[in-house]
Amino acid sequence: MAASTKGKMQPVCNTCRKYLFHFASEHFEFKLAELKAIASLTKSEFKINEEEYDEKNPFLVVELPSEDHVHKLLSRSVLLRSVYELWAEGQTTEELNNNIRQLPSQFISPYLQADQSFGIRVESFNKKIPQNIKTEKIKALPFDVLDFQGKVDLNNAMNTFHLFEYYGYECSKPPEYPFHLYFGRWIAGGQRDRIQDLHLQKRHFIGNTSMDAGLSLIMSNMARVTNNSLVLDPFVGTGSLLVAAAHHGGYVMGTELDFLLLHGQGKPSRYKQKKRASDESIRRNLEQYGTGSRYIDAIVGDSSKHDMWRPETYFDAIITDPPYGIREPAKKIGAASDEYIISEEVKDIHIPQKVQYQLSDIFRDLLNFAAKYLRLGGRLVFWFPVIRSDYLESNIPRHPSFQLIANCQQPLNSKVARRLITMEKIQHFQESSSDASVDQDHYEDKSFRQRYFHQGKEFPKNETKS
Ligand SMILES: C[S@@+](CC[C@H](N)C(=O)[O-])C[C@H]1O[C@@H](n2cnc3c(N)ncnc32)[C@H](O)[C@@H]1O
């Protein structure tokens, strides 16, 4: 059932105004987490009524000190469609119109002047409304107060007003009347267009597990990547996460175990493509988007081994999608037997053996690595696979150096999901006492992988094959 967004909020400040945030209807579990991350990055303040927060409702009334703060949030969010200055809301047309009538004249009069062109639109959520009915709804607005003197301009008005009707999210049976109505002035849109700009379908180098552009941008937001951040993806694959981080101004680098993939020599993943082009690489991807200068390097390396790094707290952010061993190999360098000895004469040309990389070890190594190499206040953002019916919050790995900031689920089907975990480094790494704790029993063995694989058979295809 839909919930009303009405309710009393403590204002962020005395002069705060109410704004209507209109979110995209996807990844709804992530929207507040993304907003909070951007707010802490851009030092903008906002306040919502947490008690009445309904994550499935794409509309959210937010209090902010000024429109500047709105623009800061919009400058990064990929989940926000648009923000409106909220003029009035109500559960019925009558209540909405009464509230419009209460608006102080000094608040609305600048928009009513003859030199201000205007347009009014009606948008309904979860119910199709024919144009003639929409026109009726516009006519029902209280034009005795909304006494616009300017010209009507439906395409390029100086001020565009929106009447929103919210019919809940139960698609099968929308109610006859909306649960809630909002009326407001459009301020600006978010960064949804960047999803198309960086879309995998048009990207030069992609693989089977390339992360789609929208989620990559969300991860980079959660990690608070900004101009000149130093960002690492230790399981870099085709570098989708680096594309997003470089888009946000980060200097990016990665490590990857698969030599062929990293060198663009593996099997192509594009439908009907027989051979990879000779210049398929992460660098080429960044150049495609004009961020080539942000690319440091990607090296062939095993993320289970940390001794190739000097012990410094280099990174501002670590963002990654570790291998679950289902659509990609999860291996590490190692020998199946203890008696494996490499003779001196073959040492230089020897290709090391690889062994299965246990899921629990992947996450333990990742947290231990991040605890050592992230700067204080830096963020670690990674995906974590779960079987939905078994999931407990205690399954999420922990580390004394990290505070959990967000834990958002992306369902992959009715049985399996992955969770985007965001952690912030709050304490220096101490060799003696610090080790990640991982729910070994849950993730250690083959059986998790097998169950995850069988239950996850209907994985959504990535964007590459659509
Ligand atoms: C889920 S994919 C990451 C995909 C990546 N985000 C992209 O956009 O292409 C995980 C990657 O980790 C790599 N990998 C597996 N074991 C590894 C290890 N021990 N060290 C480094 N990379 C590893 C796999 O080859 C795979 O490319």
Side-chain angles (χ1 to χ4, degrees):
M1 262 296 269
S4 153
T5 48
K6 271 186 94 182
K8 295 270 172 283
M9 291 187 261
Q10 287 303 313
V12 181
C13 61
N14 291 337
T15 53
C16 282
R17 284 217 173 139
K18 281 187 180 178
Y19 296 88
L20 180 67
F21 281 35
H22 184 194
F23 289 91
S25 309
E26 60 167 5
H27 305 312
F28 50 77
E29 275 209 15
F30 296 69
K31 63 189 188 193
L32 201 51
E34 191 206 36
L35 211 58
K36 286 181 179 171
I38 300 171
S40 76
L41 172 69
T42 59
K43 304 201 170 22
S44 36
E45 292 171 62
F46 76 90
K47 182 144 183 122
I48 62 160
N49 188 335
E50 298 256 6
E51 269 167 41
E52 296 197 7
Y53 176 67
D54 178 359
E55 65 182 12
K56 290 190 182 158
N57 184 340
F59 301 108
L60 181 66
V61 177
V62 180
E63 285 201 41
L64 294 119
S66 72
E67 230 170 271
D68 267 6
H69 291 247
V70 172
H71 287 290
K72 283 186 195 169
L73 296 174
L74 283 169
S75 71
R76 290 285 297 244
S77 175
V78 285
L79 290 175
L80 252 181
R81 279 189 192 288
S82 279
V83 175
Y84 303 81
E85 182 180 60
L86 184 62
W87 280 26
E89 58 180 315
Q91 285 175 337
T92 61
T93 303
E94 204 185 5
E95 192 188 349
L96 178 81
N97 288 353
N98 280 340
N99 288 338
I100 292 175
R101 288 199 172 90
Q102 309 292 320
L103 286 166
S105 66
Q106 69 273 26
F107 176 74
I108 59 173
S109 66
Y111 305 100
L112 307 180
Q113 305 304 314
D115 61 349
Q116 300 284 307
S117 60
F118 76 101
I120 301 179
R121 294 196 179 151
V122 178
E123 282 181 55
S124 52
F125 182 82
N126 196 23
K127 188 166 191 168
K128 258 204 147 108
I129 296 180
Q131 191 51 48
N132 60 327
I133 307 286
K134 286 187 178 176
T135 310
E136 291 305 312
K137 288 179 188 286
I138 293 177
K139 284 186 186 156
L141 286 165
F143 286 105
D144 48 330
V145 224
L146 299 175
D147 187 16
F148 297 109
Q149 300 296 312
K151 269 201 220 142
V152 175
D153 182 343
L154 293 181
N155 298 319
N156 205 12
M158 292 162 82
N159 306 303
T160 306
F161 297 88
H162 288 243
L163 170 64
F164 288 106
E165 293 193 336
Y166 175 59
Y167 288 86
Y169 40 76
E170 310 258 331
C171 303
S172 52
K173 253 204 244 145
E176 190 177 349
Y177 298 106
F179 289 111
H180 211 82
L181 298 103
Y182 306 92
F183 183 75
R185 178 179 65 84
W186 182 78
I187 295 177
Q191 301 299 312
R192 305 250 342 127
D193 289 351
R194 302 294 82 72
I195 298 176
Q196 286 311 313
D197 297 346
L198 305 181
H199 203 285
L200 290 178
Q201 268 174 353
K202 294 171 265 165
R203 189 169 302 163
H204 195 64
F205 173 44
I206 56 165
N208 279 338
T209 56
S210 294
M211 182 65 63
D212 76 60
L215 287 170
S216 303
L217 288 163
I218 291 171
M219 288 177 76
S220 176
N221 277 335
M222 295 304 300
R224 297 193 299 198
V225 174
T226 188
N227 218 15
N228 300 336
S229 299
L230 184 56
V231 184
L232 174 78
D233 179 351
F235 300 98
V236 74
T238 58
S240 324
L241 307 182
L242 301 192
V243 165
H247 172 78
H248 288 145
Y251 283 99
V252 297
M253 58 193 297
T255 54
E256 166 61 51
L257 190 66
D258 186 340
F259 176 97
L260 291 178
L261 176 70
L262 198 58
H263 289 82
Q265 292 171 16
K267 242 173 101 189
S269 57
R270 275 205 166 87
Y271 186 54
K272 286 192 178 158
Q273 185 185 346
K274 294 224 161 70
K275 216 174 148 237
R276 285 197 181 269
S278 58
D279 62 346
E280 288 193 34
S281 67
I282 298 176
R283 180 191 293 279
R284 177 71 172 73
N285 279 351
L286 268 72
E287 284 167 356
Q288 179 183 353
Y289 302 119
T291 52
S293 64
R294 301 272 143 181
Y295 182 61
I296 299 177
D297 208 351
I299 50 177
V300 178
D302 178 356
S303 284
S304 72
K305 312 265 180 288
H306 303 163
D307 36 8
M308 72 174 184
W309 300 94
R310 274 196 313 205
E312 308 265 347
T313 49
Y314 308 96
F315 300 110
D316 298 297
I318 296 176
I319 51 177
T320 197
D321 180 20
Y324 315 148
I326 290 162
R327 291 197 295 180
E328 73 291 89
K331 299 269 180 196
K332 63 177 180 176
I333 310 270
S337 114
D338 292 345
E339 285 138 41
Y340 189 73
I341 295 163
I342 310 155
S343 61
E344 271 311 312
E345 63 273 19
V346 297
K347 250 187 182 154
D348 289 345
I349 51 161
H350 171 76
I351 298 174
Q353 242 188 28
K354 291 179 192 136
V355 293
Q356 185 76 30
Y357 197 0
Q358 296 294 349
L359 266 174
S360 49
D361 289 339
I362 291 178
F363 294 106
R364 182 180 296 103
D365 291 345
L366 178 64
L367 264 73
N368 286 338
F369 177 82
K372 261 193 200 163
Y373 295 100
L374 260 183
R375 70 162 170 82
L376 217 54
R379 286 195 169 182
L380 166 66
V381 177
F382 62 96
W383 288 101
F384 187 75
V386 295
I387 293 167
R388 294 173 71 178
S389 56
D390 295 3
Y391 166 73
L392 297 171
E393 213 180 302
S394 58
N395 300 147
I396 302 298
R398 273 157 223 279
H399 192 286
S401 291
F402 285 103
Q403 180 184 8
L404 183 67
I405 299 290
N407 169 0
C408 309
Q409 176 174 266
Q410 183 200 15
L412 297 172
N413 65 25
S414 60
K415 304 217 168 96
V416 300
R418 57 182 175 184
R419 303 189 78 93
L420 186 65
I421 308 297
T422 303
M423 293 182 170
E424 190 167 312
K425 185 164 164 185
I426 50 162
Q427 196 177 292
H428 284 295
F429 178 79
Q430 284 152 10
E431 201 72 56
S432 54
S433 63
S434 301
D435 194 21
S437 51
V438 177
D439 190 341
Q440 186 101 358
D441 294 344
H442 202 73
Y443 289 101
E444 170 69 18
D445 49 11
K446 256 195 193 154
S447 105
F448 176 82
R449 277 198 171 112
Q450 275 164 359
R451 285 187 306 137
Y452 191 81
F453 175 72
H454 288 300
Q455 306 204 4
K457 276 214 163 122
E458 296 143 37
F459 274 118
K461 293 190 170 60
N462 69 15
E463 292 169 316
T464 57
K465 294 196 178 150
S466 58

